[in-house]
Amino acid sequence: MSLHTAASHNDGAAAKAAAARTRDWLIASAAAIIALIALYAVFVDNGSLISATGSYLHEFAHDGRHLFGAPCH
């Protein structure tokens, strides 16, 4: 294996590792944003956001508030 081939192989491996780290950060960021939206809907919103979607989702969030011990009445 020549020196040029080894160097290009290392560059390719480094690029793949950087892409994997970036992908992992994007997935973690998306999960955190979704979790914060869900926490807002359950704890802070008190049913206003999901009451427009129907009673099933409203009752589901209402039961979630009781499950987590959040005041809702």
Short mmCIF file of all heavy atoms in Angstrom, two decimals:
data_model
loop_
_atom_site.label_atom_id
_atom_site.label_comp_id
_atom_site.label_asym_id
_atom_site.label_seq_id
_atom_site.Cartn_x
_atom_site.Cartn_y
_atom_site.Cartn_z
N MET A 1 0.86 -1.18 0.00
CA MET A 1 0.00 0.00 0.00
C MET A 1 0.89 1.23 0.00
O MET A 1 1.82 1.34 0.79
CB MET A 1 -0.89 0.00 1.25
CG MET A 1 -1.86 1.11 1.25
SD MET A 1 -2.90 1.28 2.72
CE MET A 1 -3.84 -0.20 2.72
N SER A 2 0.61 2.13 -0.89
CA SER A 2 1.43 3.33 -0.98
C SER A 2 1.01 4.34 0.08
O SER A 2 -0.06 4.23 0.70
CB SER A 2 1.31 3.95 -2.38
OG SER A 2 0.02 4.48 -2.53
N LEU A 3 1.86 5.30 0.28
CA LEU A 3 1.60 6.34 1.29
C LEU A 3 0.37 7.16 0.91
O LEU A 3 -0.45 7.50 1.76
CB LEU A 3 2.83 7.24 1.43
CG LEU A 3 2.74 8.35 2.46
CD1 LEU A 3 2.53 7.73 3.84
CD2 LEU A 3 3.97 9.20 2.46
N HIS A 4 0.21 7.41 -0.39
CA HIS A 4 -0.95 8.20 -0.85
C HIS A 4 -2.26 7.44 -0.60
O HIS A 4 -3.25 8.04 -0.18
CB HIS A 4 -0.79 8.52 -2.34
CG HIS A 4 -1.96 9.27 -2.92
ND1 HIS A 4 -2.24 10.56 -2.56
CD2 HIS A 4 -2.91 8.90 -3.80
CE1 HIS A 4 -3.33 10.96 -3.19
NE2 HIS A 4 -3.75 9.97 -3.96
N THR A 5 -2.28 6.15 -0.83
CA THR A 5 -3.48 5.35 -0.62
C THR A 5 -3.84 5.30 0.86
O THR A 5 -5.01 5.40 1.24
CB THR A 5 -3.28 3.92 -1.16
OG1 THR A 5 -2.88 4.02 -2.51
CG2 THR A 5 -4.55 3.12 -1.06
N ALA A 6 -2.85 5.14 1.72
CA ALA A 6 -3.10 5.10 3.17
C ALA A 6 -3.64 6.44 3.67
O ALA A 6 -4.54 6.49 4.51
CB ALA A 6 -1.83 4.73 3.92
N ALA A 7 -3.12 7.54 3.15
CA ALA A 7 -3.57 8.86 3.58
C ALA A 7 -5.01 9.10 3.15
O ALA A 7 -5.82 9.62 3.93
CB ALA A 7 -2.67 9.94 3.02
N SER A 8 -5.37 8.70 1.94
CA SER A 8 -6.75 8.91 1.49
C SER A 8 -7.71 8.00 2.25
O SER A 8 -8.85 8.36 2.49
CB SER A 8 -6.86 8.69 -0.01
OG SER A 8 -6.59 7.34 -0.32
N HIS A 9 -7.24 6.81 2.64
CA HIS A 9 -8.08 5.91 3.44
C HIS A 9 -8.36 6.52 4.81
O HIS A 9 -9.48 6.47 5.31
CB HIS A 9 -7.40 4.55 3.58
CG HIS A 9 -8.15 3.59 4.45
ND1 HIS A 9 -9.36 3.06 4.06
CD2 HIS A 9 -7.89 3.10 5.69
CE1 HIS A 9 -9.81 2.26 5.01
NE2 HIS A 9 -8.92 2.27 6.01
N ASN A 10 -7.35 7.12 5.43
CA ASN A 10 -7.54 7.75 6.74
C ASN A 10 -8.46 8.96 6.65
O ASN A 10 -9.25 9.22 7.55
CB ASN A 10 -6.19 8.16 7.34
CG ASN A 10 -5.39 6.96 7.80
OD1 ASN A 10 -5.95 5.89 8.04
ND2 ASN A 10 -4.09 7.13 7.89
N ASP A 11 -8.36 9.73 5.57
CA ASP A 11 -9.24 10.88 5.37
C ASP A 11 -10.69 10.42 5.22
O ASP A 11 -11.61 11.05 5.75
CB ASP A 11 -8.83 11.68 4.14
CG ASP A 11 -7.51 12.42 4.35
OD1 ASP A 11 -7.11 12.58 5.51
OD2 ASP A 11 -6.91 12.82 3.34
N GLY A 12 -10.90 9.33 4.50
CA GLY A 12 -12.25 8.80 4.33
C GLY A 12 -12.83 8.31 5.64
O GLY A 12 -14.01 8.52 5.93
N ALA A 13 -12.01 7.66 6.46
CA ALA A 13 -12.47 7.18 7.76
C ALA A 13 -12.80 8.35 8.68
O ALA A 13 -13.78 8.31 9.43
CB ALA A 13 -11.42 6.28 8.39
N ALA A 14 -11.99 9.39 8.62
CA ALA A 14 -12.25 10.56 9.46
C ALA A 14 -13.53 11.26 9.03
O ALA A 14 -14.31 11.73 9.87
CB ALA A 14 -11.07 11.53 9.38
N ALA A 15 -13.77 11.30 7.73
CA ALA A 15 -14.99 11.93 7.23
C ALA A 15 -16.23 11.13 7.64
O ALA A 15 -17.25 11.71 8.02
CB ALA A 15 -14.94 12.07 5.71
N LYS A 16 -16.13 9.81 7.59
CA LYS A 16 -17.25 8.97 8.02
C LYS A 16 -17.52 9.13 9.51
O LYS A 16 -18.67 9.18 9.94
CB LYS A 16 -16.97 7.51 7.70
CG LYS A 16 -17.10 7.18 6.24
CD LYS A 16 -16.86 5.71 5.99
CE LYS A 16 -16.94 5.39 4.52
NZ LYS A 16 -16.68 3.97 4.25
N ALA A 17 -16.45 9.23 10.31
CA ALA A 17 -16.62 9.42 11.75
C ALA A 17 -17.26 10.77 12.05
O ALA A 17 -18.13 10.88 12.93
CB ALA A 17 -15.28 9.29 12.47
N ALA A 18 -16.84 11.80 11.33
CA ALA A 18 -17.43 13.13 11.54
C ALA A 18 -18.89 13.14 11.13
O ALA A 18 -19.73 13.75 11.81
CB ALA A 18 -16.64 14.17 10.74
N ALA A 19 -19.23 12.46 10.05
CA ALA A 19 -20.63 12.38 9.61
C ALA A 19 -21.48 11.63 10.64
O ALA A 19 -22.61 12.01 10.91
CB ALA A 19 -20.72 11.72 8.25
N ALA A 20 -20.92 10.58 11.22
CA ALA A 20 -21.65 9.82 12.23
C ALA A 20 -21.88 10.66 13.48
O ALA A 20 -22.97 10.62 14.07
CB ALA A 20 -20.89 8.54 12.58
N ARG A 21 -20.88 11.44 13.89
CA ARG A 21 -21.05 12.32 15.06
C ARG A 21 -22.11 13.38 14.79
O ARG A 21 -22.93 13.68 15.65
CB ARG A 21 -19.72 12.97 15.43
CG ARG A 21 -18.78 12.06 16.18
CD ARG A 21 -17.62 12.83 16.78
NE ARG A 21 -16.86 13.57 15.79
CZ ARG A 21 -15.82 13.09 15.12
NH1 ARG A 21 -15.42 11.86 15.33
NH2 ARG A 21 -15.17 13.83 14.25
N THR A 22 -22.08 13.95 13.60
CA THR A 22 -23.07 14.96 13.23
C THR A 22 -24.47 14.36 13.24
O THR A 22 -25.41 14.96 13.76
CB THR A 22 -22.75 15.55 11.85
OG1 THR A 22 -21.44 16.11 11.88
CG2 THR A 22 -23.76 16.61 11.46
N ARG A 23 -24.61 13.16 12.67
CA ARG A 23 -25.91 12.49 12.64
C ARG A 23 -26.40 12.22 14.07
O ARG A 23 -27.57 12.43 14.39
CB ARG A 23 -25.81 11.18 11.86
CG ARG A 23 -27.14 10.47 11.72
CD ARG A 23 -26.96 9.05 11.25
NE ARG A 23 -26.30 8.31 12.32
CZ ARG A 23 -25.33 7.41 12.12
NH1 ARG A 23 -24.90 7.15 10.92
NH2 ARG A 23 -24.79 6.79 13.14
N ASP A 24 -25.49 11.76 14.93
CA ASP A 24 -25.88 11.48 16.32
C ASP A 24 -26.35 12.75 17.03
O ASP A 24 -27.32 12.72 17.78
CB ASP A 24 -24.72 10.85 17.07
CG ASP A 24 -24.40 9.45 16.58
OD1 ASP A 24 -25.22 8.85 15.86
OD2 ASP A 24 -23.30 8.96 16.92
N TRP A 25 -25.67 13.87 16.79
CA TRP A 25 -26.08 15.13 17.41
C TRP A 25 -27.43 15.60 16.88
O TRP A 25 -28.26 16.11 17.64
CB TRP A 25 -25.03 16.23 17.19
CG TRP A 25 -23.95 16.19 18.22
CD1 TRP A 25 -22.69 15.71 18.08
CD2 TRP A 25 -24.05 16.62 19.57
NE1 TRP A 25 -22.01 15.82 19.25
CE2 TRP A 25 -22.81 16.38 20.19
CE3 TRP A 25 -25.08 17.20 20.32
CZ2 TRP A 25 -22.58 16.71 21.52
CZ3 TRP A 25 -24.84 17.52 21.65
CH2 TRP A 25 -23.60 17.27 22.23
N LEU A 26 -27.66 15.41 15.59
CA LEU A 26 -28.95 15.80 15.02
C LEU A 26 -30.09 14.96 15.59
O LEU A 26 -31.17 15.49 15.91
CB LEU A 26 -28.92 15.68 13.50
CG LEU A 26 -28.10 16.74 12.77
CD1 LEU A 26 -28.02 16.42 11.29
CD2 LEU A 26 -28.69 18.12 12.99
N ILE A 27 -29.86 13.67 15.73
CA ILE A 27 -30.89 12.79 16.31
C ILE A 27 -31.15 13.16 17.76
O ILE A 27 -32.31 13.25 18.19
CB ILE A 27 -30.48 11.32 16.17
CG1 ILE A 27 -30.52 10.90 14.70
CG2 ILE A 27 -31.37 10.42 17.00
CD1 ILE A 27 -29.92 9.53 14.43
N ALA A 28 -30.10 13.41 18.52
CA ALA A 28 -30.27 13.78 19.92
C ALA A 28 -30.98 15.13 20.05
O ALA A 28 -31.84 15.31 20.93
CB ALA A 28 -28.91 13.83 20.61
N SER A 29 -30.65 16.07 19.18
CA SER A 29 -31.31 17.39 19.22
C SER A 29 -32.79 17.27 18.87
O SER A 29 -33.63 17.90 19.52
CB SER A 29 -30.63 18.34 18.25
OG SER A 29 -29.29 18.54 18.60
N ALA A 30 -33.10 16.49 17.86
CA ALA A 30 -34.51 16.30 17.48
C ALA A 30 -35.29 15.62 18.60
O ALA A 30 -36.42 16.01 18.90
CB ALA A 30 -34.60 15.47 16.20
N ALA A 31 -34.68 14.63 19.24
CA ALA A 31 -35.35 13.94 20.36
C ALA A 31 -35.58 14.91 21.53
O ALA A 31 -36.64 14.88 22.16
CB ALA A 31 -34.53 12.74 20.81
N ALA A 32 -34.61 15.77 21.80
CA ALA A 32 -34.76 16.73 22.89
C ALA A 32 -35.86 17.74 22.58
O ALA A 32 -36.65 18.09 23.47
CB ALA A 32 -33.43 17.45 23.14
N ILE A 33 -35.95 18.20 21.34
CA ILE A 33 -36.99 19.15 20.96
C ILE A 33 -38.37 18.52 21.07
O ILE A 33 -39.30 19.12 21.61
CB ILE A 33 -36.72 19.70 19.55
CG1 ILE A 33 -35.50 20.61 19.58
CG2 ILE A 33 -37.93 20.42 19.00
CD1 ILE A 33 -34.99 21.00 18.22
N ILE A 34 -38.50 17.29 20.60
CA ILE A 34 -39.78 16.58 20.70
C ILE A 34 -40.16 16.36 22.16
O ILE A 34 -41.32 16.53 22.54
CB ILE A 34 -39.72 15.26 19.92
CG1 ILE A 34 -39.66 15.56 18.42
CG2 ILE A 34 -40.91 14.37 20.23
CD1 ILE A 34 -39.36 14.35 17.57
N ALA A 35 -39.18 16.01 22.99
CA ALA A 35 -39.46 15.81 24.42
C ALA A 35 -39.90 17.11 25.09
O ALA A 35 -40.83 17.10 25.91
CB ALA A 35 -38.22 15.25 25.12
N LEU A 36 -39.27 18.23 24.74
CA LEU A 36 -39.68 19.51 25.32
C LEU A 36 -41.08 19.91 24.88
O LEU A 36 -41.85 20.45 25.69
CB LEU A 36 -38.66 20.59 24.95
CG LEU A 36 -37.31 20.48 25.65
CD1 LEU A 36 -36.34 21.51 25.08
CD2 LEU A 36 -37.47 20.66 27.15
N ILE A 37 -41.42 19.65 23.64
CA ILE A 37 -42.78 19.95 23.17
C ILE A 37 -43.80 19.09 23.91
O ILE A 37 -44.86 19.57 24.33
CB ILE A 37 -42.88 19.76 21.64
CG1 ILE A 37 -42.09 20.85 20.94
CG2 ILE A 37 -44.32 19.77 21.17
CD1 ILE A 37 -41.92 20.63 19.45
N ALA A 38 -43.47 17.81 24.10
CA ALA A 38 -44.38 16.92 24.83
C ALA A 38 -44.53 17.36 26.29
O ALA A 38 -45.64 17.36 26.83
CB ALA A 38 -43.87 15.48 24.76
N LEU A 39 -43.43 17.75 26.92
CA LEU A 39 -43.52 18.23 28.31
C LEU A 39 -44.34 19.51 28.40
O LEU A 39 -45.12 19.69 29.34
CB LEU A 39 -42.12 18.46 28.87
CG LEU A 39 -41.35 17.20 29.22
CD1 LEU A 39 -39.91 17.56 29.61
CD2 LEU A 39 -42.03 16.43 30.33
N TYR A 40 -44.19 20.40 27.43
CA TYR A 40 -45.00 21.62 27.41
C TYR A 40 -46.48 21.26 27.28
O TYR A 40 -47.32 21.81 28.00
CB TYR A 40 -44.58 22.53 26.25
CG TYR A 40 -45.52 23.68 26.05
CD1 TYR A 40 -45.45 24.79 26.89
CD2 TYR A 40 -46.48 23.66 25.06
CE1 TYR A 40 -46.33 25.85 26.73
CE2 TYR A 40 -47.36 24.72 24.89
CZ TYR A 40 -47.27 25.80 25.73
OH TYR A 40 -48.15 26.84 25.58
N ALA A 41 -46.79 20.35 26.37
CA ALA A 41 -48.18 19.99 26.14
C ALA A 41 -48.80 19.35 27.37
O ALA A 41 -49.98 19.56 27.67
CB ALA A 41 -48.30 19.05 24.94
N VAL A 42 -48.03 18.58 28.12
CA VAL A 42 -48.58 17.89 29.29
C VAL A 42 -48.62 18.79 30.51
O VAL A 42 -49.62 18.83 31.23
CB VAL A 42 -47.77 16.61 29.57
CG1 VAL A 42 -48.18 15.99 30.90
CG2 VAL A 42 -47.97 15.60 28.45
N PHE A 43 -47.56 19.54 30.78
CA PHE A 43 -47.48 20.27 32.03
C PHE A 43 -47.93 21.73 31.96
O PHE A 43 -48.64 22.20 32.83
CB PHE A 43 -46.04 20.24 32.57
CG PHE A 43 -45.66 18.91 33.12
CD1 PHE A 43 -44.73 18.12 32.48
CD2 PHE A 43 -46.23 18.44 34.28
CE1 PHE A 43 -44.37 16.89 32.98
CE2 PHE A 43 -45.89 17.21 34.79
CZ PHE A 43 -44.96 16.44 34.14
N VAL A 44 -47.53 22.46 30.97
CA VAL A 44 -47.75 23.90 30.96
C VAL A 44 -49.04 24.28 30.25
O VAL A 44 -49.78 25.15 30.69
CB VAL A 44 -46.55 24.61 30.30
CG1 VAL A 44 -46.76 26.11 30.25
CG2 VAL A 44 -45.27 24.29 31.05
N ASP A 45 -49.32 23.62 29.14
CA ASP A 45 -50.42 24.03 28.27
C ASP A 45 -51.78 23.82 28.91
O ASP A 45 -52.71 24.54 28.62
CB ASP A 45 -50.32 23.26 26.96
CG ASP A 45 -51.30 23.76 25.95
OD1 ASP A 45 -51.43 24.98 25.82
OD2 ASP A 45 -51.95 22.92 25.32
N ASN A 46 -51.92 22.83 29.76
CA ASN A 46 -53.14 22.52 30.49
C ASN A 46 -54.33 22.24 29.57
O ASN A 46 -55.46 22.59 29.87
CB ASN A 46 -53.48 23.64 31.47
CG ASN A 46 -54.30 23.13 32.63
OD1 ASN A 46 -54.41 21.92 32.84
ND2 ASN A 46 -54.89 24.04 33.38
N GLY A 47 -54.05 21.63 28.41
CA GLY A 47 -55.12 21.17 27.55
C GLY A 47 -55.53 22.08 26.42
O GLY A 47 -56.28 21.66 25.55
N SER A 48 -55.08 23.31 26.39
CA SER A 48 -55.51 24.23 25.34
C SER A 48 -54.99 23.82 23.97
O SER A 48 -55.69 23.92 22.98
CB SER A 48 -55.02 25.64 25.64
OG SER A 48 -55.55 26.07 26.86
N LEU A 49 -53.76 23.36 23.91
CA LEU A 49 -53.14 23.00 22.63
C LEU A 49 -53.80 21.78 22.02
O LEU A 49 -54.10 21.75 20.83
CB LEU A 49 -51.65 22.74 22.84
CG LEU A 49 -50.83 22.35 21.63
CD1 LEU A 49 -50.75 23.52 20.67
CD2 LEU A 49 -49.44 21.92 22.05
N ILE A 50 -54.08 20.77 22.82
CA ILE A 50 -54.61 19.53 22.27
C ILE A 50 -56.12 19.42 22.37
O ILE A 50 -56.68 18.45 21.87
CB ILE A 50 -53.95 18.30 22.92
CG1 ILE A 50 -53.81 18.46 24.39
CG2 ILE A 50 -52.66 17.97 22.29
CD1 ILE A 50 -53.08 17.35 25.06
N SER A 51 -56.78 20.37 22.96
CA SER A 51 -58.24 20.28 23.01
C SER A 51 -58.85 20.45 21.63
O SER A 51 -59.94 19.94 21.37
CB SER A 51 -58.80 21.31 23.98
OG SER A 51 -58.56 22.61 23.51
N ALA A 52 -58.16 21.14 20.73
CA ALA A 52 -58.67 21.35 19.39
C ALA A 52 -58.59 20.07 18.55
O ALA A 52 -59.26 19.96 17.54
CB ALA A 52 -57.89 22.46 18.70
N THR A 53 -57.75 19.10 18.96
CA THR A 53 -57.58 17.88 18.17
C THR A 53 -58.63 16.83 18.51
O THR A 53 -58.71 15.82 17.83
CB THR A 53 -56.19 17.28 18.39
OG1 THR A 53 -56.03 16.94 19.77
CG2 THR A 53 -55.11 18.24 17.96
N GLY A 54 -59.37 17.02 19.54
CA GLY A 54 -60.41 16.05 19.89
C GLY A 54 -60.30 15.65 21.35
O GLY A 54 -59.30 15.89 22.01
N SER A 55 -61.33 15.03 21.84
CA SER A 55 -61.37 14.70 23.26
C SER A 55 -60.44 13.55 23.62
O SER A 55 -59.99 13.45 24.75
CB SER A 55 -62.80 14.37 23.70
OG SER A 55 -63.26 13.23 23.00
N TYR A 56 -60.15 12.66 22.66
CA TYR A 56 -59.29 11.50 22.97
C TYR A 56 -57.89 11.96 23.38
O TYR A 56 -57.38 11.53 24.41
CB TYR A 56 -59.21 10.56 21.77
CG TYR A 56 -58.32 9.38 22.00
CD1 TYR A 56 -58.72 8.32 22.82
CD2 TYR A 56 -57.07 9.31 21.42
CE1 TYR A 56 -57.90 7.24 23.04
CE2 TYR A 56 -56.24 8.24 21.64
CZ TYR A 56 -56.65 7.20 22.45
OH TYR A 56 -55.83 6.14 22.68
N LEU A 57 -57.28 12.85 22.58
CA LEU A 57 -55.94 13.34 22.93
C LEU A 57 -55.97 14.20 24.19
O LEU A 57 -55.05 14.17 24.99
CB LEU A 57 -55.33 14.12 21.77
CG LEU A 57 -54.87 13.29 20.58
CD1 LEU A 57 -54.39 14.20 19.46
CD2 LEU A 57 -53.77 12.35 20.98
N HIS A 58 -57.03 14.96 24.37
CA HIS A 58 -57.16 15.77 25.57
C HIS A 58 -57.20 14.89 26.81
O HIS A 58 -56.53 15.16 27.80
CB HIS A 58 -58.41 16.65 25.49
CG HIS A 58 -58.63 17.45 26.73
ND1 HIS A 58 -57.91 18.57 27.02
CD2 HIS A 58 -59.49 17.26 27.77
CE1 HIS A 58 -58.30 19.05 28.19
NE2 HIS A 58 -59.27 18.28 28.66
N GLU A 59 -57.99 13.83 26.77
CA GLU A 59 -58.06 12.93 27.92
C GLU A 59 -56.75 12.18 28.15
O GLU A 59 -56.36 11.93 29.28
CB GLU A 59 -59.21 11.94 27.73
CG GLU A 59 -60.57 12.58 27.84
CD GLU A 59 -60.79 13.26 29.19
OE1 GLU A 59 -60.37 12.71 30.23
OE2 GLU A 59 -61.36 14.36 29.21
N PHE A 60 -56.06 11.84 27.07
CA PHE A 60 -54.76 11.18 27.20
C PHE A 60 -53.77 12.09 27.91
O PHE A 60 -53.06 11.67 28.83
CB PHE A 60 -54.24 10.79 25.82
CG PHE A 60 -52.92 10.09 25.85
CD1 PHE A 60 -52.83 8.78 26.27
CD2 PHE A 60 -51.77 10.75 25.45
CE1 PHE A 60 -51.61 8.12 26.29
CE2 PHE A 60 -50.55 10.11 25.47
CZ PHE A 60 -50.47 8.79 25.89
N ALA A 61 -53.72 13.37 27.53
CA ALA A 61 -52.82 14.31 28.19
C ALA A 61 -53.26 14.58 29.62
O ALA A 61 -52.43 14.74 30.51
CB ALA A 61 -52.76 15.62 27.40
N HIS A 62 -54.55 14.60 29.85
CA HIS A 62 -55.07 14.82 31.19
C HIS A 62 -54.63 13.67 32.11
O HIS A 62 -54.18 13.90 33.23
CB HIS A 62 -56.60 14.91 31.14
CG HIS A 62 -57.22 15.21 32.46
ND1 HIS A 62 -57.42 16.48 32.90
CD2 HIS A 62 -57.68 14.39 33.43
CE1 HIS A 62 -57.97 16.46 34.09
NE2 HIS A 62 -58.16 15.20 34.44
N ASP A 63 -54.74 12.45 31.61
CA ASP A 63 -54.28 11.30 32.40
C ASP A 63 -52.77 11.34 32.60
O ASP A 63 -52.26 10.92 33.64
CB ASP A 63 -54.69 9.99 31.72
CG ASP A 63 -56.19 9.79 31.71
OD1 ASP A 63 -56.88 10.48 32.50
OD2 ASP A 63 -56.67 8.97 30.91
N GLY A 64 -52.05 11.86 31.62
CA GLY A 64 -50.60 12.02 31.76
C GLY A 64 -50.24 13.00 32.84
O GLY A 64 -49.28 12.80 33.59
N ARG A 65 -51.02 14.06 32.97
CA ARG A 65 -50.77 15.02 34.06
C ARG A 65 -50.94 14.34 35.42
O ARG A 65 -50.16 14.56 36.32
CB ARG A 65 -51.73 16.21 33.95
CG ARG A 65 -51.36 17.18 32.90
CD ARG A 65 -52.27 18.41 32.97
NE ARG A 65 -52.40 18.98 31.66
CZ ARG A 65 -53.35 18.67 30.80
NH1 ARG A 65 -54.28 17.82 31.11
NH2 ARG A 65 -53.37 19.23 29.61
N HIS A 66 -51.98 13.54 35.54
CA HIS A 66 -52.18 12.83 36.80
C HIS A 66 -51.06 11.83 37.04
O HIS A 66 -50.60 11.66 38.17
CB HIS A 66 -53.53 12.10 36.79
CG HIS A 66 -54.69 13.01 36.94
ND1 HIS A 66 -54.96 13.68 38.11
CD2 HIS A 66 -55.65 13.38 36.07
CE1 HIS A 66 -56.04 14.41 37.96
NE2 HIS A 66 -56.48 14.25 36.72
N LEU A 67 -50.60 11.16 35.98
CA LEU A 67 -49.52 10.18 36.11
C LEU A 67 -48.25 10.82 36.63
O LEU A 67 -47.57 10.27 37.48
CB LEU A 67 -49.27 9.50 34.76
CG LEU A 67 -48.13 8.50 34.73
CD1 LEU A 67 -48.50 7.26 35.54
CD2 LEU A 67 -47.83 8.12 33.29
N PHE A 68 -47.92 12.01 36.12
CA PHE A 68 -46.70 12.69 36.52
C PHE A 68 -46.89 13.57 37.76
O PHE A 68 -45.94 14.17 38.25
CB PHE A 68 -46.16 13.55 35.38
CG PHE A 68 -45.62 12.75 34.25
CD1 PHE A 68 -46.14 12.91 32.98
CD2 PHE A 68 -44.62 11.82 34.43
CE1 PHE A 68 -45.65 12.18 31.92
CE2 PHE A 68 -44.12 11.09 33.39
CZ PHE A 68 -44.64 11.25 32.12
N GLY A 69 -48.10 13.65 38.28
CA GLY A 69 -48.34 14.43 39.48
C GLY A 69 -48.44 15.92 39.25
O GLY A 69 -48.30 16.69 40.18
N ALA A 70 -48.71 16.32 38.02
CA ALA A 70 -48.84 17.75 37.72
C ALA A 70 -50.25 18.20 38.07
O ALA A 70 -51.21 17.50 37.80
CB ALA A 70 -48.56 18.00 36.24
N PRO A 71 -50.39 19.38 38.65
CA PRO A 71 -51.74 19.87 38.95
C PRO A 71 -52.48 20.27 37.68
O PRO A 71 -51.91 20.90 36.80
CB PRO A 71 -51.48 21.09 39.83
CG PRO A 71 -50.11 21.53 39.47
CD PRO A 71 -49.35 20.28 39.08
N CYS A 72 -53.73 19.88 37.59
CA CYS A 72 -54.48 20.24 36.39
C CYS A 72 -55.91 20.64 36.71
O CYS A 72 -56.67 20.96 35.82
CB CYS A 72 -54.47 19.08 35.39
SG CYS A 72 -55.23 17.58 36.00
N HIS A 73 -56.31 20.60 37.95
CA HIS A 73 -57.68 20.98 38.30
C HIS A 73 -57.67 22.24 39.13
O HIS A 73 -56.79 22.54 39.83
CB HIS A 73 -58.37 19.88 39.12
CG HIS A 73 -58.56 18.63 38.33
ND1 HIS A 73 -59.59 18.45 37.46
CD2 HIS A 73 -57.83 17.50 38.30
CE1 HIS A 73 -59.50 17.26 36.93
NE2 HIS A 73 -58.46 16.66 37.42
#
